[in-house]
Amino acid sequence: MPPGTDIAVYYYPAFHFYVDAVQSGQSFLWNPHLFSGFPMYVSQSAGFFDPLNLLLATFFASPYMLELRLIIDVLLALGCSYAAARALSLSRRASILTALSYIIAFEWFYLSNPLTANTLFLLPLLMWCCAHLLTDERTLRYVLIGGGGLGWALLCGYTQIVFYAVVLSGIYLTAYAFLARLRLKRFFGIVVRYALIVVLGALLALPQLLPTALFLPETSRAGASSYEQVTLKVIAPGDLLLALVPPHFYVPYITPGRKALFVGALWMLLAVGALALTAKVWRRKEHRAQEQHIAAIGIAFLFAFIAAVQYSPLYYLLNQLPVFSLFRFPFRFMFLGVFLLSLLAAYGFDRAEHLVHSRVFRWGAYMLAVITTFFIGGITVIQVLGTTGGAWLATLLSNVFAATVQGRFGFTKDPASYAHAFEQGLAAYRELLSFANPGILLPLLCLAVSALLAVLFARGHLQVNRFQFSAFVLGLCTFVAVAVGGWKGFIPSELYGSPNPFQEIIAQDAQRYRFYPFLIGEAAKDDIPPQYKLSLDEAIATHELASAGGVSNLHFIHDLNSVDGYDQFEPSETLAAMDKIGGELGAGYGAGTPEERTSRLLKHLDTLGMMSGKYIISGVPLESDELILVATSSVSAYRMTLYLYEYPDASPRYFLAEHGCTSCTPTDTAIAPERMENGRFEFIVSTLKPITLVLSETNLPGWRVTLDGNVLSPRLVNELYMGIDIPRGEHRITVEYYGMLGELSVLRALGIVHH
């Protein structure tokens, strides 16, 4: 688990909750730990309805269960990629490299994201099915396999990528039908079979799709994304450098390294050459079936790439369409585009004898050599010069800058500012691209060899069979080199659930009250200032800080309940309340300056108290007569200070209030549940007059309340929560979350939930 990534702070805690619920026989439909309670299953966070996840969660602890699932996902993506390449009549060696180059296109940040990893197999699987639909009369098996794979991906994978996979496979089928001049009747039959795959997949995934669709109007994602939003999540010009270097490279000030473009530098050149070769399909009346397939794949790839780049007219058009407009990350088209690019490269690998005569390939080889020389040469110069020489080079560059650009184009700051920027920039290059790091040196050597092989082959100094053998070996070496680079950045396993120093204090009230993490990151600003990329030690320290502060969902691991949290389907009403008190994550990753957010919190402590927020873990001192400082703690080797405050006027998670109230406060009569589990509360109330039981669990669709066996609906009280009106006398009240479709009944019937 790389520190600070989604798997470390979001998915692992979700799986931890899931495994604990499954193994204890409790419901996993309702997670009491975030957003004052939330039906986490609707967001596909951990694929709670996926049969494989359920099986693994039954037998393995959460770290091992998650790691096993990721291993299975990667192996499945490799296997399906190989099978798809072979179905297109590509050689075994080319098919092996297709699979490997697809996987190395992803930086660990995304490859270790279960939603992404669970989905990577789907496009290769659909391409395998489509290739057989076009050539094999026995199509039922491919409809069943494709539909089963699609349904599985929808149950546990990234819906956006699943949708893109279906679209790109459809484009491939349509393009092939046009290039091969298929008769309309045959094309219609293929379309029907492909539609059956989609329909079967959707039917299998209904247990996930229906509750998600029903819950969507409750969330901040209910509306379409604006074009302005999506243009912020694209492949920008600086990201194009990733076509040559692995995504785990964080090349300072050029690209953050998180876009899927890299399939190997030589493999990229072979793909470009293949595009040029297959372009001839348009002009020839007779051509081989494989060329038609590859040309169709080229069209699908160009669609994916053009839709993902910055200010793409194609994506603007797509953004105006239903479904497409729901997605905010167009660059994820290239999560699948790199697989299509790998298939193109495999074709170029197998047709190397034709490539060598291609002007496009020859000039591409020269450009690769020039770019590689400048890139590696520049890094080498920076490394050789060292700190002293770097200062001299920074001065030289700043003088040139001052003589040519200073005072123009908006560069109007003091010259010393730019000189300092050059010095800091060169220092960042020395640190992040150091040859002392094998994860940097080995891929750079592979890049250099790629350029050398390309030029030698383009100039006729290398025979085809030797070039192919050398390229195959280089592909394997690149895979190993990228793995070495990614492996270094993992958290030690003992820090998966690093301790919370305030756990024992908060745990005393954990059933009755919640806590609120506030400005936790501010505790690190003096010790770990903002920078381009944290070192591993700094990243681990910030992870320890986040765990100690209960940031994001790491508090699941410590069984603590928070008013905040993170999920992609945050309820809109909860989001508004969190924004009111300066929300750490729920209000959009910190809206406003720290000072503004502190002011909002201190002005609205009553709102926090209404949400049962008795404790505040803060990264900054809070000055208020309404708060009591309970404890402080120094976190990690950097000794960053966190503060624990108590708000004594907070309302408990359950209490009795005046009958019929809407803004409810506790009466003097205390109450405690007879039984309390995930999404289930049982109370016995004895009262001499009508009264209202307030349960401060978020009032969302799916709750069922029974009063002495009679079903009734809870009222909305305190803006977010449930109020249950109780007549006088003694009564048994059960409040249980059954799910958007009553899924709890099914889970009980299957024996998954025992209570």
Side-chain angles (χ1 to χ4, degrees):
M1 298 184 193
T5 57
D6 285 348
I7 188 175
V9 300
Y10 179 43
Y11 292 104
Y12 172 59
F15 275 93
H16 181 88
F17 162 77
Y18 179 64
V19 169
D20 184 66
V22 169
Q23 294 187 359
S24 64
Q26 295 190 58
S27 170
F28 51 73
L29 299 179
W30 186 261
N31 185 340
H33 299 314
L34 79 163
F35 295 142
S36 301
F38 177 72
M40 200 171 193
Y41 81 100
V42 297
S43 65
Q44 293 179 276
S45 302
F48 288 180
F49 286 156
D50 173 25
L52 178 58
N53 282 347
L54 191 58
L55 180 66
L56 294 175
T58 302
F59 295 104
F60 297 98
S62 48
Y64 309 114
M65 177 261 175
L66 179 52
E67 290 164 356
L68 277 172
R69 179 58 201 263
L70 290 172
I71 290 170
I72 292 170
D73 288 334
V74 172
L75 291 176
L76 188 62
L78 289 169
C80 289
S81 299
Y82 178 83
R86 292 294 291 154
L88 295 169
S89 301
L90 295 168
S91 69
R92 286 187 173 86
R93 287 193 299 183
S95 300
I96 289 171
L97 290 185
T98 296
L100 297 182
S101 64
Y102 180 34
I103 292 301
I104 63 173
F106 295 91
E107 200 258 348
W108 279 108
F109 183 94
Y110 288 115
L111 189 59
S112 64
N113 177 325
L115 277 175
T116 301
N118 296 351
T119 316
L120 294 181
F121 79 95
L122 182 61
L123 181 61
L125 179 67
L126 291 178
M127 296 295 290
W128 177 79
C129 292
C130 288
H132 285 289
L133 289 178
L134 291 166
T135 58
D136 196 332
E137 294 298 325
R138 297 170 299 172
T139 55
L140 179 59
R141 74 172 78 175
Y142 305 112
V143 170
L144 294 176
I145 294 172
L150 176 58
W152 187 30
L154 284 169
L155 282 175
C156 62
Y158 209 137
T159 304
Q160 179 178 359
I161 301 178
V162 172
F163 180 73
Y164 286 171
V166 172
V167 170
L168 292 175
S169 297
I171 291 174
Y172 156 71
L173 276 178
T174 305
Y176 177 84
F178 175 77
L179 293 171
R181 298 177 177 85
L182 294 184
R183 292 182 179 181
L184 186 60
K185 181 179 179 180
R186 187 179 174 213
F187 176 61
F188 180 74
I190 292 170
V191 169
V192 169
R193 291 174 176 84
Y194 188 67
L196 287 175
I197 290 177
V198 176
V199 171
L200 177 58
L203 289 174
L204 292 174
L206 282 179
Q208 181 67 60
L209 295 180
L210 281 179
T212 299
L214 292 172
F215 191 79
L216 187 62
E218 307 287 336
T219 75
S220 58
R221 298 189 176 224
S225 301
S226 69
Y227 183 65
E228 290 72 19
Q229 285 178 312
V230 299
T231 51
L232 298 175
K233 303 291 185 178
V234 292
I235 293 175
D239 296 317
L240 295 178
L241 181 61
L242 291 179
L244 300 183
V245 300
H248 76 266
F249 273 31
Y250 283 69
V251 183
Y253 313 108
I254 295 179
T255 172
R258 291 181 177 176
K259 309 293 173 64
L261 285 169
F262 178 76
V263 291
L266 185 58
W267 213 236
M268 175 70 72
L269 180 58
L270 290 170
V272 173
L275 277 173
L277 284 181
T278 55
K280 298 178 181 178
V281 171
W282 295 90
R283 302 193 296 268
R284 290 166 48 187
K285 294 182 179 179
E286 295 182 3
H287 37 261
R288 300 167 58 179
Q290 188 189 48
E291 291 176 328
Q292 297 167 352
H293 283 288
I294 297 299
I297 288 169
I299 292 170
F301 162 71
L302 290 174
F303 180 95
F305 178 73
I306 295 171
V309 298
Q310 195 168 35
Y311 303 119
S312 162
L314 176 58
Y315 196 84
Y316 176 79
L317 294 175
L318 295 177
N319 186 247
Q320 311 308 309
L321 300 177
V323 185
F324 281 102
S325 61
L326 295 174
F327 303 131
R328 307 182 183 190
F329 302 100
F331 75 85
R332 285 177 182 157
F333 262 117
M334 282 304 295
F335 277 31
L336 304 172
V338 288
F339 172 68
L340 301 175
L341 191 66
S342 297
L343 286 174
L344 288 169
Y347 176 77
F349 178 88
D350 282 349
R351 296 291 181 271
E353 69 274 12
H354 300 293
L355 279 185
V356 74
H357 303 297
S358 166
R359 184 179 301 176
V360 171
F361 181 82
R362 189 161 52 250
W363 282 104
Y366 297 152
M367 288 181 61
L368 174 61
V370 170
I371 295 171
T372 299
T373 300
F374 274 100
F375 180 60
I376 298 180
I379 296 173
T380 302
V381 168
I382 293 171
Q383 298 292 340
V384 170
L385 287 176
T387 305
T388 303
W392 171 82
L393 181 58
T395 302
L396 176 63
L397 291 173
S398 62
N399 289 337
V400 173
F401 181 86
T404 56
V405 181
Q406 176 71 36
R408 304 179 182 90
F409 311 111
F411 294 101
T412 56
K413 292 183 180 179
D414 183 86
S417 299
Y418 297 113
H420 180 68
F422 278 114
E423 189 171 347
Q424 291 292 101
L426 292 173
Y429 272 86
R430 277 197 307 276
E431 178 183 358
L432 295 180
L433 300 177
S434 171
F435 293 159
N437 180 357
I440 300 297
L441 180 61
L442 294 179
L444 285 181
L445 289 175
C446 291
L447 175 59
V449 175
S450 295
L452 179 62
L453 277 178
V455 171
L456 289 176
F457 183 58
R459 294 186 63 83
H461 299 314
L462 203 60
Q463 294 179 353
V464 172
N465 58 344
R466 291 187 177 180
F467 169 74
Q468 289 177 324
F469 175 78
S470 301
F472 180 74
V473 173
L474 177 65
L476 298 180
C477 291
T478 302
F479 184 84
V480 173
V482 173
V484 169
W487 200 266
K488 184 185 176 185
F490 292 163
I491 303 174
S493 57
E494 61 268 19
L495 294 180
Y496 281 7
S498 54
N500 186 306
F502 307 120
Q503 183 175 3
E504 291 187 7
I505 299 174
I506 299 176
Q508 298 173 6
D509 281 328
Q511 300 300 318
R512 299 185 68 233
Y513 294 97
R514 301 185 176 97
F515 82 98
Y516 176 42
F518 183 70
L519 290 178
I520 302 301
E522 288 296 297
K525 69 177 184 179
D526 294 329
D527 301 288
I528 308 176
Q531 53 194 288
Y532 187 76
K533 187 175 187 297
L534 299 179
S535 68
L536 181 60
D537 288 341
E538 290 171 331
I540 289 175
T542 58
H543 179 81
E544 292 182 81
L545 177 67
S547 183
V551 167
S552 185
N553 297 334
L554 286 166
H555 60 281
F556 295 2
I557 300 169
H558 306 299
D559 201 27
L560 299 176
N561 300 313
S562 175
V563 302
D564 205 354
Y566 173 74
D567 191 277
Q568 56 184 342
F569 270 24
E570 307 102 329
S572 299
E573 297 301 324
T574 303
L575 211 58
M578 293 307 309
D579 185 55
K580 194 174 181 181
I581 60 173
E584 179 73 17
L585 286 175
Y589 291 96
T593 66
E595 293 75 19
E596 290 170 342
R597 291 170 59 197
T598 301
S599 176
R600 294 212 305 271
L601 172 63
L602 297 181
K603 286 180 181 178
H604 297 288
L605 287 173
D606 57 336
T607 300
L608 176 64
M610 179 270 293
M611 300 171 77
S612 304
K614 182 177 181 179
Y615 296 99
I616 302 171
I617 302 178
S618 177
V620 297
L622 299 175
E623 297 181 4
S624 172
D625 294 337
E626 298 180 81
L627 297 176
I628 300 171
L629 178 63
V630 178
T632 62
S633 180
S634 296
V635 179
S636 85
Y638 288 83
R639 313 301 294 170
M640 299 173 285
T641 302
L642 289 178
Y643 306 85
L644 178 65
Y645 292 93
E646 179 183 335
Y647 178 57
D649 293 332
S651 299
R653 289 171 62 191
Y654 35 80
F655 59 87
L656 298 175
E658 292 295 327
H659 185 262
C661 63
T662 54
S663 296
C664 303
T665 55
T667 63
D668 293 336
T669 304
I671 189 173
E674 294 284 309
R675 180 179 175 184
M676 182 168 63
E677 295 177 353
N678 294 343
R680 180 179 175 87
F681 299 83
E682 293 182 9
F683 297 91
I684 295 178
V685 177
S686 182
T687 176
L688 298 177
K689 62 178 182 178
I691 202 166
T692 293
L693 170 64
V694 175
L695 181 59
S696 296
E697 297 288 298
T698 314
N699 191 355
L700 292 168
W703 283 103
R704 182 181 298 178
V705 179
T706 59
L707 177 67
D708 298 330
N710 299 311
V711 178
L712 53 87
S713 299
R715 295 187 296 109
L716 180 67
V717 300
N718 289 352
E719 301 178 20
L720 297 172
Y721 302 126
M722 291 182 284
I724 302 155
D725 294 327
I726 302 171
R728 70 178 189 174
E730 183 170 302
H731 305 280
R732 175 175 289 275
I733 301 100
T734 301
V735 186
E736 190 162 29
Y737 189 77
Y738 267 73
M740 300 295 295
L741 301 171
E743 296 95 331
L744 184 62
S745 298
V746 178
L747 295 177
R748 282 199 172 121
L750 294 174
I752 297 170
V753 175
H754 304 154
H755 309 292

